[in-house]
Amino acid sequence: AKSIAVLTSGGDAPGMNAAVRAVVRAGISKGFGVLGVRRGYNGLLSGDVEEMNLRSVSDIIGRGGTVLYTARSPEFNTPAGVQKAAEACKKLNVVGIVVIGGDGSFRGARDLTGAGVPCIGLPGTIDNDIASSEYTIGFDTAMNTAVEMIDRIRDTAESHDRCSVVEVMGRRCGDLALQVGVAVGATSILVPEVEWDFQKDIIDRMRFAQKSGKQHFIIMVAEGVGGTTELAKKIQETTGIETRATILGHVQRGGSPTLRDRVVASEMGYRAVELLEAGSSNRVVIMRGGKIVDLDITEALSMQRVFDKKLYDIALQISI
Ligand code: ADP
């Protein structure tokens, strides 16, 4: 029988399980065998592959992480590795693979398609850092987790008239810092996409807010900006306000996916199987204009991210 395979690759994100579930259930409904590949592309190379049935994905829609595990595979990231993976797929009668991950994983999917195995990519990363898609599976959960954590920090910062410098994830992409910064009323938001100046964009803004009586502050920092601990020290030295640094770290990657992530993952997973059924390959399923559509992987990988400068400017004007 013809089979399709599903794997999760790169960084994990809440909602990946909901996507796996949708692929397995849609695949079986459409008459395919469905194989679950463990630990990303590594599972294709090592043969760590399991036949899935309708019940293999029971009770995972609400679970964070990925039941298929995930990995970065240096071996796959070579022409010989891609060839070996393609041969493994042919032996297993795999006629298509759904790859859930980020741009790195999509490059792998493009290469594997080139080696004769039709691949479909699904955007899964908490960073929302995939240029072709307005939205990535896991982003909503990560934003909500960060807001919940920072609300707690805010309570104590407020009680002690403190400044809190909080770092959220996002190495190349400030979307998480921007959205969360707006949601928690951060006085300053530092992201890799926008140049900033210590005096003008942090200290002057704090001083201005102090004049109208504000006594506690949250400064949002995206991981890609970094230097959070040093920044907190420098703010304390400059202003005399007690300042603490918090790096939220991996709490943002875990937890039960929100409704939005579960629903988007379900729709995207279903779409991926529809595409394989129709004989499409080298496509990514993306969100554009709020709708789920698909796009050629190579075209998707050539796109540039657009930062929401409008929202950034709104934040500057109202978080004072
Ligand atoms: P993400 O998918 O979250 O961007 P990575 O960039 O770590 O994560 O990529 C995940 C995996 O995808 C890598 O370990 C590798 O196996 C594969 N991969 C990444 N880049 C390439 C590439 N340029 N060509 C082929 N495979 C790649």
Side-chain angles (χ1 to χ4, degrees):
K2 283 182 180 172
S3 288
I4 61 171
V6 56
L7 61 84
T8 52
S9 168
D12 69 313
M16 280 184 162
N17 281 328
V20 169
R21 170 180 176 273
V23 171
V24 170
R25 297 259 170 90
I28 292 171
S29 302
K30 291 175 184 297
F32 291 108
V34 184
L35 303 176
V37 179
R38 290 201 194 87
R39 297 186 172 81
Y41 293 112
N42 276 337
L44 290 176
L45 300 173
S46 65
D48 196 359
V49 170
E50 179 197 8
E51 175 89 37
M52 309 289 273
N53 61 47
L54 291 174
R55 298 279 72 78
S56 314
V57 289
S58 293
D59 299 320
I60 67 168
I61 195 166
R63 274 162 62 189
T66 161
V67 295
L68 291 178
Y69 303 94
T70 183
R72 300 200 156 89
S73 173
E75 187 190 350
F76 177 77
N77 199 355
T78 60
V82 172
Q83 213 49 50
K84 188 175 165 190
E87 278 153 28
C89 290
K90 275 167 206 151
K91 278 205 192 95
L92 292 163
N93 245 328
V94 166
V95 297
I97 303 193
V98 180
V99 173
I100 308 164
D103 279 336
S105 303
F106 295 168
R107 283 189 196 96
R110 176 200 58 199
D111 294 354
L112 197 51
T113 304
V117 186
C119 290
I120 307 290
L122 294 191
T125 151
I126 65 155
D127 289 349
N128 207 39
D129 61 351
I130 296 179
S132 53
S133 190
E134 289 165 5
Y135 186 78
T136 63
I137 296 164
F139 185 50
D140 190 58
T141 306
M143 287 190 293
N144 280 289
T145 302
V147 166
E148 193 188 322
M149 296 298 145
I150 297 168
D151 280 347
R152 291 171 190 224
I153 293 170
R154 192 183 165 123
D155 287 345
T156 169
E158 189 172 346
S159 306
H160 288 270
D161 295 336
R162 264 189 205 133
C163 174
S164 278
V165 182
V166 186
E167 180 183 311
V168 295
M169 286 189 140
R171 257 175 301 188
R172 295 160 302 170
C173 174
D175 283 17
L176 197 54
L178 173 62
Q179 296 283 329
V180 172
V182 170
V184 301
T187 307
S188 305
I189 302 173
L190 311 182
V191 294
E193 292 91 338
V194 183
E195 294 259 339
W196 57 278
D197 173 79
F198 176 72
Q199 186 64 38
K200 175 173 141 299
D201 297 309
I202 301 175
I203 303 302
D204 291 354
R205 289 179 63 79
M206 287 174 70
R207 296 267 189 243
F208 178 84
Q210 259 182 328
K211 276 187 216 148
S212 57
K214 190 174 177 72
Q215 285 170 318
H216 60 94
F217 304 89
I218 292 171
I219 309 295
M220 281 297 303
V221 182
E223 184 185 1
V225 170
T228 302
T229 311
E230 299 71 37
L231 184 63
K233 276 202 199 101
K234 210 170 149 192
I235 291 171
Q236 179 161 314
E237 282 162 17
T238 311
T239 61
I241 298 168
E242 190 186 353
T243 304
R244 297 281 174 93
T246 305
I247 296 169
L248 287 185
H250 277 177
V251 292
Q252 297 161 91
R253 287 258 282 261
S256 177
T258 59
L259 174 140
R260 180 158 200 231
D261 279 329
R262 297 182 199 194
V263 174
V264 172
S266 299
E267 285 185 271
M268 286 185 164
Y270 187 86
R271 171 64 77 100
V273 176
E274 274 187 329
L275 287 167
L276 288 175
E277 189 188 28
S280 299
S281 77
N282 210 47
R283 310 288 292 175
V284 277
V285 179
I286 57 160
M287 188 175 287
R288 179 184 281 174
K291 296 244 179 323
I292 287 162
V293 297
D294 58 278
L295 190 70
D296 182 75
I297 292 187
T298 312
E299 190 187 337
L301 286 172
S302 73
M303 294 171 78
Q304 296 289 320
R305 278 202 55 78
V306 206
F307 183 69
D308 191 347
K309 193 64 177 32
K310 173 105 196 272
L311 182 59
Y312 187 85
D313 291 337
I314 291 172
L316 287 182
Q317 287 190 43
I318 63 177
S319 294
I320 48 173

